Amino acid sequence: MAMTALAPTTTATAAAEPPRRRPGLIAFALLAPGLAYLALFFLVPFVSLLITSFGINDPVEYGAFSYGFYWQNYVDVLAEYWPQFVRSFWYALLATIFALLISYPIAYFIGVRLRERTLLRNLLLVLVIAPFFISFLLRTLAWKQILSDEGPVVGFLQAVGLMGPQDHITGTAAAVVFGLTYNFIPFMTLPLFASLDRLDKRLLEAGSDLYAGPATTFVKITFPLSLPGVISGTLLTFIPAAGDYVNASQSFLGGPSTAMVGNVIQSKFLITVNYPQAAALSILLMAVILVIVGTYVRRAGTEDLL
């Protein structure tokens, strides 16, 4: 009797269950192009780079090396080029901080203050991404001309007595950090805008109703809610800035004393043609950046980004 009573319920439950899908095949089909792309253009070059970094350079034949397990390459490049490593991360840190200080007010103004003025907001967004319409090299080369000894900036500063006749802007650390900051500002501004654009303005009004001043409202409400944009922007700025080799080059804004590790890698690959040491420097740069970024993300409490 009891089993007869349960029978319809079991049948109804089975009928209510949705048909089983085959997520494995569908997911693999969707991921296949991306996985193939990553395998071809990231994994294969990375393995090749890693194998090359343990190679043995031929001191006699130009550009020749043999495969092996010569880990001394890592010791040699660290002992010889650690100042360039330190300089690279210091410049990247300064550029990231300056880019954040410049980009946050811009993103707040566009994303919060101009939210109801769509036309003006879109126009300012176009101006933010406008530098992308011009080549990275051309933009940096233009700043070299503007900051050169014959340019208007140096002429003005010398005229008002802030610079002597023997002083320069190009070839200094300030010029390199300026170039890094300028070139990566859109990478900082756009994530900040995306985060601030979703900020609920009613929370700001509630803060004001509770007699919180503008500074308190920013510290307690605005900045914490924009932290995802801050984290994304700082990562998108710091990582490429640490490996940059254009701004610090003597052909652009840098000088002999401003060489970053990217310039050393470029020289090893293209001028001295010491492929094992160039590969070892590249692997070390990636490893250090990975450690710094991992530590930063965990400290910021956004492990989901990893």
Side-chain angles (χ1 to χ4, degrees):
M1 186 71 179
M3 293 188 64
T4 305
L6 288 174
T9 305
T10 308
T11 306
T13 304
E17 289 183 353
R20 291 188 176 180
R21 298 178 180 177
R22 302 176 65 182
L25 290 177
I26 297 175
F28 180 76
L30 293 174
L31 290 174
L35 292 176
Y37 182 88
L38 287 176
L40 185 61
F41 294 105
F42 176 74
L43 187 60
V44 172
F46 176 77
V47 173
S48 173
L49 194 69
L50 185 63
I51 294 173
T52 305
S53 69
F54 290 103
I56 304 169
N57 189 55
D58 190 334
V60 178
E61 187 176 356
Y62 184 70
F65 72 96
S66 58
Y67 291 105
F69 190 72
Y70 191 63
W71 55 268
Q72 188 66 26
N73 287 329
Y74 287 88
V75 179
D76 293 341
V77 296
L78 269 181
E80 187 172 359
Y81 300 111
W82 68 267
Q84 284 82 355
F85 267 99
V86 174
R87 189 179 299 134
S88 298
F89 293 115
W90 175 239
Y91 287 174
L93 177 63
L94 290 177
T96 303
I97 293 173
F98 290 142
L100 178 62
L101 294 176
I102 295 170
S103 298
Y104 202 99
I106 297 174
Y108 181 83
F109 185 70
I110 299 174
V112 179
R113 294 296 182 185
L114 295 181
R115 190 172 296 175
E116 288 77 23
R117 305 179 68 177
T118 308
L119 180 61
L120 182 57
R121 189 176 74 155
N122 292 340
L123 177 62
L124 292 178
L125 278 177
V126 171
L127 292 179
V128 169
I129 64 174
F132 288 136
F133 300 153
I134 304 174
S135 166
F136 185 93
L137 297 179
L138 288 179
R139 280 183 277 139
T140 311
L141 199 59
W143 275 112
K144 178 185 178 182
Q145 297 300 321
I146 294 173
L147 300 177
S148 66
D149 295 345
E150 298 79 19
V153 177
V154 173
F156 173 76
L157 293 176
Q158 288 179 344
V160 298
L162 294 178
M163 288 183 64
Q166 304 301 323
D167 295 333
H168 312 278
I169 294 180
T170 55
T172 63
V176 176
V177 174
F178 170 81
L180 291 171
T181 305
Y182 165 76
N183 281 309
F184 293 107
I185 274 183
F187 293 88
M188 179 69 80
T189 305
L190 294 179
L192 285 172
F193 166 75
S195 183
L196 289 169
D197 190 45
R198 297 193 297 270
L199 179 67
D200 191 345
K201 295 176 71 173
R202 292 175 298 181
L203 297 175
L204 306 181
E205 296 169 358
S208 300
D209 292 342
L210 295 173
Y211 303 103
T216 304
T217 304
F218 175 79
V219 173
K220 298 290 186 182
I221 300 175
T222 306
F223 188 74
L225 292 177
S226 63
L227 266 181
V230 174
I231 301 296
S232 302
T234 50
L235 292 178
L236 289 175
T237 303
F238 180 82
I239 294 173
D244 183 79
Y245 65 92
V246 173
N247 290 281
S249 169
Q250 297 184 45
S251 301
F252 292 91
L253 300 176
S257 62
T258 62
M260 298 169 64
V261 67
N263 303 106
V264 180
I265 294 173
Q266 181 200 25
S267 175
K268 290 287 183 183
F269 268 121
L270 302 179
I271 299 176
T272 60
V273 201
N274 190 334
Y275 295 123
Q277 285 199 353
L281 282 168
S282 303
I283 295 292
L284 282 174
L285 179 62
M286 284 191 290
V288 175
I289 288 177
L290 187 62
V291 170
I292 292 175
V293 169
T295 305
Y296 171 66
V297 171
R298 288 190 179 280
R299 289 280 185 180
T302 53
E303 291 85 351
D304 291 341
L305 292 174
L306 290 176

